[in-house]
Amino acid sequence: MDIKAIRGMNDILPDTVAKWHFVEDTARRIFSLYGFTELRPPVLERTELFLRGIGDETDVVEKQMYTFVDKSGDSVTLRPEATASVLRSVIEHSLLNKDPIQKLYSIGPMFRYERPQKGRYRQFHQINAERLGEDGPLADAETLSMAYDLASAILGHDVLLMEVNSLGCQKCRPGFKDALTGFLADRQDRLCEDCRRRMYANPLRVLDCKVESCKEAVEGAPLIEENLCPDCRDHFGAVLTGLSILNVRYEKNPRLVRGLDYYTRTTFEITARGLGSQNAIAGGGRYDNLLSILGGPDVGGIGFAFGMERIIMLMNERAEQVSGCFVVAQPKPEIEQEALGFISELRSSGIRVEAAFGKSFKAQMRRADKAGYPVCAILGENEMASATLTIKDMEHAEQRTVERGAALDDIKSMLIRKGEEK
Ligand code: HAM
């Protein structure tokens, strides 16, 4: 067939989907420990939402949005991120009137027209969390800790680096921006075209530019930390104390700025070794003005998003092991029928079970092995004649024969034991 998927948009095939389930399940479990619940906004929104929410000086809005005019003449955009959508939904449904603290997560596809490369796609998936209605620094510390818990539950601590910064607030950031623009003005001949334009409207973005000459030009630039107002400095200090109490390993990075414009005060990123240049697996921060910019109450929030493709690329094989039993039956009608009855018993007691009817004995065993089943139940002529089943432990290549009536309990306890060993 000559019709292919669109560049940068990937099929998630059955052989990796177990990893996706594992990541999603782990996120749901950890987020519920922090009192978060799910909100599912649509993938298509009015373009204006992102123009207002994300900021028109950002790469996302300038270059990356999938925007089109729909049949009714409205300009609509496939969401490039979830934060603006979640906040739109919170405002539209007055959720903060019902409960002044909202802790919400969302999981799903996002769309950015970027140049595809390893770890960077045009359709990608995020696990996104937003916490609204708490201004204090410990809400930030807890939110960062939740992100750290999720990353380390999936990847372990060793490959991770959490970098933290404060971007100040409306009081102290203008002074810092002026100082930075002044610094950059003297070096503008070394800046790329984008940065020469941005250095006036949004000089912080220049700090984040990946072009080599821009990276050199910003060496020695003023640091935001030295320009924070007393409130922002206290807030940042208390966030860091909170992180230490929560045993989150972090590093301060005074040059960390984010690609989206709505952040105030605390910002952070989690990077991982082994991903090449697209090594940010999560990023986020506080946004104290975004709700009111979008027409909601003057309430602050903080959140983050994980890029699921990047986590999945890093995962080890752990999540791919299935728990369950493969039933191997001699390909004869009466034996297969007997096997079918046993399969039904196993499944009724909540055990994942598969078979491959009509295939040779050898082909069935190969399939059980390839699919990663830790246990096989074998039903051949001998077992049929003696009302028994042979149970094979695939990991240890050991087998024994048990009474047909005892087989279900035997398999159950074997699977429990194996689960506990992991
Ligand atoms: P972001 O830093 O733009 O933040 O994206 C978060 C994560 O999504 C990145 O760290 C990366 O792992 C993943 N990601 C972004 N673009 C791509 C891409 N083209 N291909 C693959 N993965 C990608 C946000 O989106 C904010 N809305 C996060 C947030 C929530 N801040 C506050 N609340």
Side-chain angles (χ1 to χ4, degrees):
M1 192 174 69
D2 56 2
I3 301 175
K4 300 247 165 51
I6 294 170
R7 197 160 116 82
M9 308 216 172
N10 301 310
D11 296 307
I12 298 165
L13 297 174
D15 62 350
T16 52
V17 85
K19 287 183 179 175
W20 288 78
H21 291 168
F22 176 75
V23 172
E24 287 167 15
D25 292 348
T26 308
R28 289 180 202 284
R29 179 175 58 77
I30 289 175
F31 291 179
S32 82
L33 295 177
Y34 284 82
F36 278 63
T37 48
E38 188 173 1
L39 185 146
R40 300 186 184 187
V43 295
L44 199 60
E45 297 271 6
R46 289 181 189 283
T47 304
E48 197 195 340
L49 173 67
F50 303 114
L51 298 184
R52 257 209 265 170
I54 298 176
D56 20 322
E57 285 295 324
T58 57
D59 279 348
V60 171
V61 167
E62 276 182 349
K63 305 177 191 161
Q64 298 170 354
M65 295 212 297
Y66 277 89
T67 297
F68 58 96
V69 176
D70 72 7
K71 289 195 195 314
S72 59
D74 292 331
S75 177
V76 292
T77 296
L78 281 169
R79 62 180 182 193
E81 58 120 42
T83 310
S85 296
V86 171
L87 268 53
R88 195 258 320 128
S89 175
V90 166
I91 297 166
E92 188 169 337
H93 301 285
S94 308
L95 298 187
L96 285 161
N97 290 348
K98 291 172 193 150
D99 182 346
I101 294 178
Q102 292 289 327
K103 299 181 195 171
L104 303 163
Y105 73 87
S106 309
I107 300 178
M110 309 292 151
F111 303 85
R112 295 184 192 176
Y113 193 83
E114 295 197 74
R115 199 168 49 75
Q117 64 178 83
K118 184 183 168 206
R120 190 164 72 192
Y121 309 104
R122 290 182 175 169
Q123 174 176 311
F124 59 100
H125 296 75
Q126 284 188 343
I127 295 176
N128 185 84
E130 310 295 350
R131 177 173 184 149
L132 308 172
E134 290 160 289
D135 294 333
L138 296 189
D140 301 22
E142 264 211 323
T143 308
L144 269 62
S145 160
M146 184 166 91
Y148 189 79
D149 282 358
L150 175 55
S152 46
I154 296 170
L155 302 173
H157 298 276
D158 300 340
V159 293
L160 301 175
L161 172 63
M162 179 181 257
E163 292 174 291
V164 189
N165 194 18
S166 172
L167 293 180
C169 67
Q170 277 171 324
K171 262 190 283 166
C172 51
R173 193 151 5 143
F176 173 66
K177 275 185 168 179
D178 288 347
L180 191 56
T181 304
F183 175 88
L184 295 171
D186 294 341
R187 292 160 179 77
Q188 42 184 310
D189 50 328
R190 287 196 261 157
L191 300 180
C192 71
E193 207 181 307
D194 276 347
C195 286
R196 259 190 302 229
R197 197 167 31 78
R198 281 179 179 155
M199 59 176 265
Y200 294 104
N202 196 351
L204 264 70
R205 296 286 291 119
V206 181
L207 295 176
D208 190 38
C209 183
K210 302 289 180 285
V211 175
E212 221 34 64
S213 61
C214 295
K215 280 198 209 163
E216 283 165 24
V218 300
E219 271 172 33
L223 296 177
I224 180 100
E225 198 178 351
E226 290 157 6
N227 290 271
L228 293 177
C229 62
D231 285 350
C232 284
R233 200 173 313 128
D234 290 351
H235 185 97
F236 191 40
V239 173
L240 301 183
T241 306
L243 290 177
S244 302
I245 294 170
L246 292 164
N247 288 320
V248 174
R249 281 195 239 162
Y250 68 87
E251 279 180 20
K252 281 204 287 180
N253 177 358
R255 296 233 175 264
L256 178 76
V257 290
R258 303 263 309 123
L260 312 167
D261 270 358
Y262 45 64
Y263 294 109
T264 51
R265 294 190 162 172
T266 315
T267 47
F268 75 101
E269 256 173 30
I270 302 178
T271 52
R273 273 199 300 272
L275 275 179
S277 63
Q278 302 303 314
N279 64 351
I281 57 166
R286 176 165 277 285
Y287 44 83
D288 282 338
N289 310 312
L290 187 54
L291 262 153
S292 56
I293 288 172
L294 295 175
D298 188 12
V299 164
I302 177 162
F304 61 78
F306 275 81
M308 292 184 73
E309 280 78 2
R310 295 187 190 176
I311 304 184
I312 280 153
M313 277 164 61
L314 283 169
M315 273 170 66
N316 58 25
E317 297 304 302
R318 196 167 33 141
E320 281 200 303
Q321 288 171 351
V322 296
S323 173
C325 177
F326 198 96
V327 174
V328 175
Q330 189 94 6
K332 284 192 169 176
E334 67 279 11
I335 302 187
E336 287 192 336
Q337 279 168 11
E338 177 69 21
L340 197 61
F342 185 56
I343 285 170
S344 168
E345 274 175 46
L346 287 171
R347 210 170 271 139
S348 302
S349 48
I351 294 173
R352 170 175 163 154
V353 50
E354 271 191 85
F357 300 112
K359 300 282 178 208
S360 73
F361 191 80
K362 222 166 132 191
Q364 292 180 55
M365 287 307 289
R366 251 201 321 268
R367 202 179 155 81
D369 200 33
K370 199 160 169 233
Y373 279 92
V375 177
C376 263
I378 301 163
L379 195 60
E381 308 262 7
N382 291 343
E383 286 86 359
M384 257 316 251
S386 57
T388 57
L389 275 171
T390 298
I391 313 284
K392 181 164 180 183
D393 179 335
M394 301 291 278
E395 288 157 334
H396 299 112
E398 289 162 3
Q399 62 181 50
R400 63 177 182 282
T401 301
V402 298
E403 298 288 321
R404 169 78 171 77
L408 175 64
D409 285 342
D410 200 73
I411 290 172
K412 258 194 212 160
S413 47
M414 203 158 155
L415 289 173
I416 290 170
R417 250 191 345 267
K418 284 183 175 295
E420 282 166 356
E421 275 166 21
K422 298 228 158 80

